[in-house]
Amino acid sequence: MAKNDAPEEKTGRLKQIRSAYQLTKKSDPRIGLILAGIFLAVVAVFVVVGILVGPLLVWIPLGVALGFLAATIIFGRRVEKAAYSQIEGQAGAAASALQTLRRGWNVTPAVAVTKNADIVHRVVGRPGIVLVGEGQPSRVKNLLAAEGKKHQRVAGGAPVIQVVAGKGEGEIDIRKLTKHVMKLPQALQPSEITDLLQRLKALDAVRPQVPMPKGPLPTSMKGARQAMKGR
């Protein structure tokens, strides 16, 4: 990385954090006070410890560092909660959540869409092919079953798993969707995933491209995570 790229990268991270803070403040107006309170409370504890056991010069910097860490962790959780609350119930919400999956996962939003806004998204990773449906439960299950058959033909033995995103019985809340996908049993090796993706290209080649609604989650929560991790 060139030397002049570092300031630009730092500026980009600050913009991401600022954007995430502004998003969170809309649904959580007291976020600033909460973060400041957490930071000061942790620092205060370490100041008291420093006074009691000394020396203060050791305990105060430690308290500042841990106070900042605690505030950062709480901020990340609040950002995530605010982002999910803004997209929940919207078409494409599941895709927005899935796009926060880290490396090793290939997410294709809206591989199938109906005129009633029932949608199936596809995730490919170590568990195999995960088809995630969102929409009216009975309709989306039929759509998932049809997509499952299509994917089985090109899966080459890889598991094809069907998941319905929602809040009903047997459905996965979008707030827990990525964790659910990541916890699925691993069945494929990286080389097998590469081969599977190549086979899926043939299936996708005959599909019309469908534009997906762009929710706030990928640009806010994911960006904030990257910024706080220094990426």
Side-chain angles (χ1 to χ4, degrees):
M1 181 184 296
K3 290 183 179 179
N4 57 356
D5 288 342
E8 292 182 4
E9 184 180 347
K10 184 177 180 179
T11 301
R13 289 200 297 270
L14 291 174
K15 286 182 178 179
Q16 289 175 334
I17 294 173
R18 188 182 302 114
S19 175
Y21 178 81
Q22 291 170 347
L23 169 73
T24 307
K25 195 170 183 179
K26 290 179 182 179
S27 59
D28 193 356
R30 299 177 62 190
I31 182 65
L33 291 175
I34 292 171
L35 296 178
I38 291 170
F39 174 78
L40 293 175
V42 173
V43 172
V45 169
F46 279 82
V47 169
V48 172
V49 172
I51 293 173
L52 293 176
V53 301
L56 274 173
L57 290 178
V58 172
W59 289 99
I60 289 178
L62 182 59
V64 170
L66 292 179
F68 180 77
L69 177 61
T72 300
I73 292 171
I74 298 301
F75 176 57
R77 292 176 180 174
R78 296 274 179 156
V79 170
E80 183 174 349
K81 182 179 179 181
Y84 277 125
S85 66
Q86 289 205 8
I87 66 166
E88 205 164 23
Q90 298 181 18
S96 295
L98 292 169
Q99 286 171 0
T100 64
L101 285 166
R102 299 177 182 178
R103 294 179 182 178
W105 299 92
N106 183 280
V107 179
T108 306
V111 294
V113 180
T114 69
K115 62 181 181 180
N116 295 314
D118 301 312
I119 312 173
V120 173
H121 315 290
R122 184 179 68 218
V123 181
V124 179
R126 295 291 295 273
I129 300 172
V130 185
L131 299 176
V132 180
E134 58 177 322
Q136 202 281 332
S138 61
R139 293 197 307 261
V140 82
K141 286 178 181 178
N142 292 333
L143 184 60
L144 272 172
E147 282 302 310
K149 290 178 181 178
K150 292 178 183 178
H151 283 77
Q152 285 284 6
R153 296 190 190 108
V154 297
V160 179
I161 304 163
Q162 298 178 18
V163 175
V164 178
K167 291 189 173 183
E169 185 177 353
E171 299 173 354
I172 306 300
D173 192 298
I174 63 165
R175 298 168 188 263
K176 301 177 181 179
L177 185 57
T178 56
K179 290 181 180 179
H180 177 81
V181 171
M182 292 173 67
K183 288 181 179 180
L184 291 171
Q186 297 185 358
L188 302 180
Q189 297 300 318
S191 59
E192 294 174 306
I193 295 173
T194 302
D195 182 57
L196 177 58
L197 290 171
Q198 291 297 321
R199 292 197 299 274
L200 289 171
K201 283 185 178 180
L203 179 61
D204 294 340
V206 297
R207 297 179 184 274
Q209 290 190 350
V210 181
M212 272 294 302
K214 293 184 179 179
L217 188 59
T219 57
S220 58
M221 187 176 75
K222 186 176 181 180
R225 282 178 174 174
Q226 292 174 341
M228 288 185 286
K229 291 179 180 178
R231 292 183 183 180

